[in-house]
Amino acid sequence: QVQLVESGGGLVQAGGSLRLSCAASGSIFSIGVMGWYRQAPGKQRELVASVTNGGNTNYADSIKGRFTISRDNAKNTVYLQMNSLKPDDTAVYFCNAVITTWSVRNYWGQGTQVTVSS
């Protein structure tokens, strides 16, 4: 059984930084794209950033230049370094990964709350 476990959320003042981590565990054959999504109250879940297993990255326009996604393939872990945080970044952040076990599936973490105070 595959699990994605996130950590690193919390409360921070505007202009501050946080680093999110998400580790995949279980009977994993390979991991493809890993990414971070977020969902603010009353809004749809949106892609924040993604990274392929080759290191190619993709970012939402709203966070370009402030957030950096990276991954450690040896540890099956993806990170999101968030700098210059704004109150609009407040949301629950979800880790996502395309993982191959005996089949290929899209997995989600449980979510971690990020709150940015003004």
PDB file of all heavy atoms in Angstrom, residues 56-70:
ATOM      1  N   ASN A  56      12.479  18.154 -14.694  1.00  0.00           N
ATOM      2  CA  ASN A  56      11.797  19.259 -15.360  1.00  0.00           C
ATOM      3  C   ASN A  56      10.675  19.786 -14.472  1.00  0.00           C
ATOM      4  O   ASN A  56       9.895  19.007 -13.926  1.00  0.00           O
ATOM      5  CB  ASN A  56      11.227  18.804 -16.702  1.00  0.00           C
ATOM      6  CG  ASN A  56      12.321  18.469 -17.691  1.00  0.00           C
ATOM      7  OD1 ASN A  56      13.314  19.174 -17.782  1.00  0.00           O
ATOM      8  ND2 ASN A  56      12.151  17.376 -18.424  1.00  0.00           N
ATOM      9  N   THR A  57      10.602  21.109 -14.347  1.00  0.00           N
ATOM     10  CA  THR A  57       9.651  21.716 -13.430  1.00  0.00           C
ATOM     11  C   THR A  57       8.618  22.569 -14.167  1.00  0.00           C
ATOM     12  O   THR A  57       8.849  23.045 -15.282  1.00  0.00           O
ATOM     13  CB  THR A  57      10.369  22.604 -12.407  1.00  0.00           C
ATOM     14  OG1 THR A  57      11.124  23.595 -13.108  1.00  0.00           O
ATOM     15  CG2 THR A  57      11.296  21.784 -11.528  1.00  0.00           C
ATOM     16  N   ASN A  58       7.496  22.738 -13.486  1.00  0.00           N
ATOM     17  CA  ASN A  58       6.409  23.566 -13.998  1.00  0.00           C
ATOM     18  C   ASN A  58       5.813  24.308 -12.809  1.00  0.00           C
ATOM     19  O   ASN A  58       5.608  23.711 -11.742  1.00  0.00           O
ATOM     20  CB  ASN A  58       5.345  22.686 -14.654  1.00  0.00           C
ATOM     21  CG  ASN A  58       4.187  23.491 -15.205  1.00  0.00           C
ATOM     22  OD1 ASN A  58       4.382  24.484 -15.888  1.00  0.00           O
ATOM     23  ND2 ASN A  58       2.967  23.070 -14.893  1.00  0.00           N
ATOM     24  N   TYR A  59       5.540  25.617 -12.980  1.00  0.00           N
ATOM     25  CA  TYR A  59       5.034  26.436 -11.875  1.00  0.00           C
ATOM     26  C   TYR A  59       3.800  27.219 -12.292  1.00  0.00           C
ATOM     27  O   TYR A  59       3.684  27.669 -13.435  1.00  0.00           O
ATOM     28  CB  TYR A  59       6.099  27.444 -11.422  1.00  0.00           C
ATOM     29  CG  TYR A  59       7.322  26.836 -10.795  1.00  0.00           C
ATOM     30  CD1 TYR A  59       8.468  26.607 -11.548  1.00  0.00           C
ATOM     31  CD2 TYR A  59       7.330  26.496  -9.443  1.00  0.00           C
ATOM     32  CE1 TYR A  59       9.601  26.051 -10.976  1.00  0.00           C
ATOM     33  CE2 TYR A  59       8.461  25.945  -8.857  1.00  0.00           C
ATOM     34  CZ  TYR A  59       9.585  25.723  -9.629  1.00  0.00           C
ATOM     35  OH  TYR A  59      10.708  25.174  -9.053  1.00  0.00           O
ATOM     36  N   ALA A  60       2.908  27.415 -11.329  1.00  0.00           N
ATOM     37  CA  ALA A  60       1.797  28.334 -11.542  1.00  0.00           C
ATOM     38  C   ALA A  60       2.342  29.751 -11.603  1.00  0.00           C
ATOM     39  O   ALA A  60       3.303  30.093 -10.913  1.00  0.00           O
ATOM     40  CB  ALA A  60       0.796  28.203 -10.389  1.00  0.00           C
ATOM     41  N   ASP A  61       1.710  30.584 -12.415  1.00  0.00           N
ATOM     42  CA  ASP A  61       2.182  31.960 -12.581  1.00  0.00           C
ATOM     43  C   ASP A  61       2.185  32.709 -11.251  1.00  0.00           C
ATOM     44  O   ASP A  61       3.049  33.559 -11.008  1.00  0.00           O
ATOM     45  CB  ASP A  61       1.304  32.706 -13.584  1.00  0.00           C
ATOM     46  CG  ASP A  61       1.537  32.240 -15.020  1.00  0.00           C
ATOM     47  OD1 ASP A  61       2.593  31.607 -15.276  1.00  0.00           O
ATOM     48  OD2 ASP A  61       0.674  32.503 -15.861  1.00  0.00           O
ATOM     49  N   SER A  62       1.228  32.403 -10.389  1.00  0.00           N
ATOM     50  CA  SER A  62       1.067  33.161  -9.142  1.00  0.00           C
ATOM     51  C   SER A  62       2.224  32.965  -8.170  1.00  0.00           C
ATOM     52  O   SER A  62       2.393  33.767  -7.249  1.00  0.00           O
ATOM     53  CB  SER A  62      -0.247  32.776  -8.462  1.00  0.00           C
ATOM     54  OG  SER A  62      -0.242  31.385  -8.160  1.00  0.00           O
ATOM     55  N   ILE A  63       3.004  31.920  -8.329  1.00  0.00           N
ATOM     56  CA  ILE A  63       4.095  31.648  -7.379  1.00  0.00           C
ATOM     57  C   ILE A  63       5.468  31.625  -8.037  1.00  0.00           C
ATOM     58  O   ILE A  63       6.468  31.392  -7.350  1.00  0.00           O
ATOM     59  CB  ILE A  63       3.838  30.334  -6.616  1.00  0.00           C
ATOM     60  CG1 ILE A  63       3.668  29.144  -7.577  1.00  0.00           C
ATOM     61  CG2 ILE A  63       2.598  30.452  -5.751  1.00  0.00           C
ATOM     62  CD1 ILE A  63       4.953  28.481  -7.998  1.00  0.00           C
ATOM     63  N   LYS A  64       5.549  31.895  -9.304  1.00  0.00           N
ATOM     64  CA  LYS A  64       6.851  31.912  -9.986  1.00  0.00           C
ATOM     65  C   LYS A  64       7.783  32.930  -9.354  1.00  0.00           C
ATOM     66  O   LYS A  64       7.380  34.055  -9.053  1.00  0.00           O
ATOM     67  CB  LYS A  64       6.668  32.224 -11.471  1.00  0.00           C
ATOM     68  CG  LYS A  64       6.247  31.035 -12.297  1.00  0.00           C
ATOM     69  CD  LYS A  64       6.135  31.402 -13.771  1.00  0.00           C
ATOM     70  CE  LYS A  64       5.686  30.202 -14.596  1.00  0.00           C
ATOM     71  NZ  LYS A  64       5.485  30.542 -16.017  1.00  0.00           N
ATOM     72  N   GLY A  65       9.026  32.500  -9.139  1.00  0.00           N
ATOM     73  CA  GLY A  65      10.017  33.373  -8.536  1.00  0.00           C
ATOM     74  C   GLY A  65      10.005  33.360  -7.018  1.00  0.00           C
ATOM     75  O   GLY A  65      10.923  33.891  -6.393  1.00  0.00           O
ATOM     76  N   ARG A  66       8.968  32.754  -6.424  1.00  0.00           N
ATOM     77  CA  ARG A  66       8.886  32.715  -4.958  1.00  0.00           C
ATOM     78  C   ARG A  66       8.996  31.283  -4.431  1.00  0.00           C
ATOM     79  O   ARG A  66       9.537  31.057  -3.353  1.00  0.00           O
ATOM     80  CB  ARG A  66       7.565  33.330  -4.482  1.00  0.00           C
ATOM     81  CG  ARG A  66       7.379  34.777  -4.879  1.00  0.00           C
ATOM     82  CD  ARG A  66       6.149  35.397  -4.213  1.00  0.00           C
ATOM     83  NE  ARG A  66       4.907  34.777  -4.641  1.00  0.00           N
ATOM     84  CZ  ARG A  66       4.044  34.177  -3.819  1.00  0.00           C
ATOM     85  NH1 ARG A  66       4.304  34.112  -2.511  1.00  0.00           N
ATOM     86  NH2 ARG A  66       2.920  33.654  -4.291  1.00  0.00           N
ATOM     87  N   PHE A  67       8.446  30.328  -5.160  1.00  0.00           N
ATOM     88  CA  PHE A  67       8.449  28.926  -4.728  1.00  0.00           C
ATOM     89  C   PHE A  67       9.397  28.121  -5.613  1.00  0.00           C
ATOM     90  O   PHE A  67       9.544  28.405  -6.810  1.00  0.00           O
ATOM     91  CB  PHE A  67       7.058  28.320  -4.857  1.00  0.00           C
ATOM     92  CG  PHE A  67       6.015  28.866  -3.921  1.00  0.00           C
ATOM     93  CD1 PHE A  67       6.252  29.970  -3.126  1.00  0.00           C
ATOM     94  CD2 PHE A  67       4.773  28.248  -3.840  1.00  0.00           C
ATOM     95  CE1 PHE A  67       5.282  30.472  -2.279  1.00  0.00           C
ATOM     96  CE2 PHE A  67       3.785  28.726  -2.997  1.00  0.00           C
ATOM     97  CZ  PHE A  67       4.041  29.852  -2.219  1.00  0.00           C
ATOM     98  N   THR A  68      10.003  27.100  -5.017  1.00  0.00           N
ATOM     99  CA  THR A  68      10.871  26.187  -5.757  1.00  0.00           C
ATOM    100  C   THR A  68      10.525  24.750  -5.395  1.00  0.00           C
ATOM    101  O   THR A  68      10.488  24.399  -4.211  1.00  0.00           O
ATOM    102  CB  THR A  68      12.351  26.443  -5.438  1.00  0.00           C
ATOM    103  OG1 THR A  68      12.679  27.797  -5.738  1.00  0.00           O
ATOM    104  CG2 THR A  68      13.240  25.516  -6.264  1.00  0.00           C
ATOM    105  N   ILE A  69      10.261  23.948  -6.417  1.00  0.00           N
ATOM    106  CA  ILE A  69       9.988  22.534  -6.195  1.00  0.00           C
ATOM    107  C   ILE A  69      11.247  21.736  -6.518  1.00  0.00           C
ATOM    108  O   ILE A  69      12.004  22.081  -7.437  1.00  0.00           O
ATOM    109  CB  ILE A  69       8.800  22.046  -7.061  1.00  0.00           C
ATOM    110  CG1 ILE A  69       8.361  20.643  -6.627  1.00  0.00           C
ATOM    111  CG2 ILE A  69       9.121  22.103  -8.547  1.00  0.00           C
ATOM    112  CD1 ILE A  69       7.043  20.195  -7.248  1.00  0.00           C
ATOM    113  N   SER A  70      11.477  20.695  -5.738  1.00  0.00           N
ATOM    114  CA  SER A  70      12.613  19.815  -5.977  1.00  0.00           C
ATOM    115  C   SER A  70      12.254  18.421  -5.486  1.00  0.00           C
ATOM    116  O   SER A  70      11.257  18.238  -4.784  1.00  0.00           O
ATOM    117  CB  SER A  70      13.872  20.329  -5.264  1.00  0.00           C
ATOM    118  OG  SER A  70      13.673  20.369  -3.863  1.00  0.00           O
TER     119      SER A  70
END
